[in-house]
């Protein structure tokens, strides 16, 4: 199965700053079938990005995704207070679908 | 707006079978455009995909659970279900049912989750 490694484990930033989260795949992800999710305490994950760079419905344009081979990046251009949460990447190009271990984005 | 809701026992004894049902409202489980998934998340940990059903045909399971898991669909009631046999404490988790696009991927609709504890 494809292993996804997210870094950093925790990122401490202030509102208004730029956040860059990384997700590295152990092998090529079929057709860039990679998604990003945001999860807040007590809530189900929320889809942010699919296909590595397409924003899901209703997601603000401060969220963007990009890829370079087996390296994928989620960028939040200007952090809002509601953006502080845990972020997961998921690959769905090869079964079984797999998730990264998550990056916690904390308020500094 | 599609909504999903998990239901089932919150406590299961070791070696027994965990059974959950997901009721879908606001959309048809027979659309052919979506996969209907089960995932789980142990407390304080990450997400694990369990498997999915696709109503035009077929189920896919995570090989780590393959021999113990069955996902079935009841189109007449717009529901799909999870059965996990021979459970242990390691199966204690929040179980989510969720919908993903069969064409573009990404899991865009989730239930609120059902906590299942395996304990005697």
């Amino acid at each position: 199965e494809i292993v996804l490694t997210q870094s950093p484990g925790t990122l401490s930033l202030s509102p208004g700053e730029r956040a860059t989260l990384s997700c590295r795949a152990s092998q090529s992800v079929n057709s860039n079938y990679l998604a990003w999710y945001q999860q807040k305490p007590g809530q189900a994950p929320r889809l942010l990005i699919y296909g590595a760079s397409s924003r899901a419905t209703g997601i603000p344009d401060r969220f963007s995704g990009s890829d370079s081979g087996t390296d994928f990046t989620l960028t939040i251009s200007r952090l809002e207070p509601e953006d502080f949460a845990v972020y997961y990447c998921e690959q769905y190009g090869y079964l079984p679908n797999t998730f990264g271990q998550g990056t916690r984005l904390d308020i500094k | 707006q599609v909504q999903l809701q998990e239901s089932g026992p919150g406590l299961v004894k070791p070696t027994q079978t965990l059974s959950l049902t997901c009721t879908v409202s606001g959309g048809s489980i027979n659309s052919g455009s979506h996969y209907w998934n089960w995932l789980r998340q142990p407390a304080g940990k990450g997400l694990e995909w369990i498997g999915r059903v696709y109503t035009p045909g077929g189920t896919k399971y995570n090989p780590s659970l393959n021999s113990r898991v069955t996902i079935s669909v009841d189109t007449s009631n717009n529901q799909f279900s999870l059965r996990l046999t021979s459970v242990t404490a390691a199966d204690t988790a929040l179980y989510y049912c969720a919908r993903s696009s069969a064409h573009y991927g990404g899991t865009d609709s989730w239930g609120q989750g059902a906590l299942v504890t395996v304990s005697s």
Side-chain angles (χ1 to χ4, degrees):
Chain A
E1 69 178 41
I2 294 179
V3 176
L4 299 179
T5 302
Q6 292 187 241
S7 61
T10 302
L11 185 58
S12 296
L13 294 170
S14 299
E17 290 192 294
R18 181 184 187 91
T20 303
L21 287 68
S22 175
C23 175
R24 174 167 289 178
S26 60
Q27 63 190 76
S28 177
V29 175
N30 189 24
S31 299
N32 284 341
Y33 283 163
L34 186 117
W36 289 93
Y37 301 86
Q38 176 193 71
Q39 188 176 34
K40 296 180 180 179
Q43 296 184 16
R46 174 193 181 197
L47 177 66
L48 301 173
I49 300 286
Y50 64 93
S53 60
S54 296
R55 269 188 301 277
T57 302
I59 302 303
D61 61 6
R62 65 179 181 275
F63 291 91
S64 63
S66 63
D67 70 281
S68 176
T70 56
D71 290 335
F72 298 85
T73 300
L74 174 69
T75 301
I76 311 171
S77 59
R78 295 173 310 279
L79 285 165
E80 297 287 343
E82 62 268 27
D83 297 338
F84 292 92
V86 178
Y87 291 83
Y88 293 97
C89 57
E90 177 206 17
Q91 72 78 27
Y92 51 91
Y94 292 102
L95 294 174
N97 293 17
T98 51
F99 289 84
Q101 80 280 18
T103 289
R104 180 178 304 277
L105 180 55
D106 285 343
I107 298 178
K108 189 173 182 180
Chain B
Q1 179 80 358
V2 71
Q3 293 186 312
L4 298 91
Q5 177 69 58
E6 305 89 350
S7 58
L11 180 64
V12 181
K13 288 181 167 50
T15 74
Q16 293 192 342
T17 296
L18 180 160
S19 295
L20 293 171
T21 295
C22 182
T23 301
V24 179
S25 57
S28 173
I29 203 169
N30 229 354
S31 69
S33 301
H34 297 96
Y35 298 132
W36 304 93
N37 303 270
W38 286 99
L39 304 96
R40 68 182 182 179
Q41 185 172 34
K45 296 188 177 181
L47 295 155
E48 180 182 30
W49 179 78
I50 298 170
R52 74 185 189 210
V53 62
Y54 181 50
T55 48
T59 52
K60 298 291 185 184
Y61 302 126
N62 192 322
S64 68
L65 299 168
N66 195 44
S67 61
R68 298 196 293 133
V69 66
T70 303
I71 296 174
S72 58
V73 63
D74 177 356
T75 54
S76 62
N77 287 306
N78 225 33
Q79 296 176 327
F80 64 107
S81 298
L82 170 70
R83 288 184 75 250
L84 184 66
T85 62
S86 306
V87 297
T88 70
D91 295 310
T92 294
L94 189 60
Y95 284 75
Y96 291 105
C97 60
R99 184 189 79 169
S100 59
S101 168
H103 305 297
Y104 308 111
T107 303
D108 63 357
S109 298
W110 298 70
Q112 64 185 25
L115 178 62
V116 178
T117 302
V118 178
S119 175
S120 55

